[in-house]
Amino acid sequence: MHKEAFEQTLVLIKPDALKNSLTGYVLSQLSEFHTNLRFAGTKIVHVSRMLAEEHYAEHRSKVFYPSLIDFIMGFAHYPDEPWKRRVIAFVYQGPEAVKKIRDICGPTNPHIAREQRPGCIRALGTIVPLKDASGKVIGERMDNLIHASATNSDAEREIKLWFNPVDIPPSMRSYPTEINNDHFYFKDGKLSLTHAPDSICLLAPGDVVWKSDLEALRLLYKGQPSPCSLETVAAKYLVNYSQED
Ligand code: AMP
């Protein structure tokens, strides 16, 4: 198969789409019939704070960041029903996957989407004003139903953030993997090769991992600069681990 046929992108069906029962609609818009793209992976994710913050790291300094985190974690749409807080994550694969899906999503801002691209998915979204303590509007939260990677490098970062290699069939993996030989444990934001009470085993010998994750873990363990943080690697191993943030 040609390299272009392996292009991948991450899609998230966000809590506003789930709450409004739009999952079927969104998936039908993205169907292979319309896009010539296929599912390579899917999972239902209770989004932890760690995963949300890693996913939206580039927006950390923005005024809308706290509301964006609350939104993707499901607090905004399910304040009193924690068991409903989830997103559905997909890897789509095929020629021009990134561009095709972004086109069907439409502009980020649902008002602009309705104006410029009536019929696109985000035209069904809404905007919620964000107010400070005095009631003054300081920004907005865009409830835009769907996330789709913006570029191929964003797609790689995001797919590796949300998915383990084993979530994706071997013949559909687009990024290099390696077999791990060590135990890696996580506790209180720290990495260890030995188990301690309450530590979580991220990886055990024999696990198939993203090669770049393993390289990062080895550097982090030695205290050397790494291309990504420990949280970036750890977040996906903690997906659905507990009900906590
Ligand atoms: P992006 O990284 O551009 O895909 O944006 C990620 C998400 O952040 C969007 O889907 C929106 O929910 C939110 N967002 C982006 N820009 C803004 C903005 N100017 N105001 C409020 N929310 C935004």
Side-chain angles (χ1 to χ4, degrees), residues 76-225:
H77 289 83
Y78 298 107
D80 304 317
E81 297 167 300
W83 63 93
K84 292 188 182 173
R85 291 178 198 147
R86 76 266 187 235
V87 308
I88 313 181
F90 295 91
V91 178
Y92 277 88
Q93 182 178 63
E96 295 192 279
V98 170
K99 181 178 180 309
K100 278 183 192 161
I101 293 199
R102 291 281 285 194
D103 280 353
I104 295 169
C105 292
T108 304
N109 180 320
H111 289 179
I112 295 176
R114 274 196 279 288
E115 245 171 69
Q116 295 182 354
R117 295 278 317 283
C120 72
I121 292 173
R122 285 170 164 169
L124 295 180
T126 189
I127 290 204
V128 179
L130 300 175
K131 297 179 182 170
D132 67 12
S134 70
K136 190 175 141 221
V137 175
I138 52 164
E140 51 199 17
R141 194 186 78 217
M142 293 180 190
D143 293 4
N144 57 8
L145 307 167
I146 184 168
H147 168 84
S149 308
T151 63
N152 283 312
S153 64
D154 283 352
E156 177 169 354
R157 183 188 80 83
E158 293 171 359
I159 289 167
K160 288 177 175 176
L161 179 64
W162 287 76
F163 285 85
N164 298 308
V166 291
D167 296 325
I168 298 170
S171 62
M172 301 188 90
R173 290 178 200 149
S174 291
Y175 313 116
T177 59
E178 206 175 311
I179 306 282
N180 170 51
N181 288 319
D182 298 298
H183 279 104
F184 286 101
Y185 294 94
F186 181 82
K187 185 181 174 187
D188 300 333
K190 296 209 174 62
L191 189 65
S192 154
L193 298 188
T194 51
H195 183 260
D198 299 327
S199 67
I200 296 163
C201 184
L202 299 180
L203 289 174
D207 286 348
V208 181
V209 290
W210 299 122
K211 187 175 163 57
S212 54
D213 276 0
L214 205 49
E215 288 165 355
L217 284 179
R218 287 178 182 140
L219 290 169
L220 288 162
Y221 180 69
K222 288 190 220 149
Q224 292 174 356

Side-chain angles (χ1 to χ4, degrees), residues 14 56 58-59 64 68 108 140 142 144:
K14 297 180 178 180
Y56 284 128
E58 67 168 302
H59 295 302
F64 59 82
L68 185 58
T108 304
E140 51 199 17
M142 293 180 190
N144 57 8

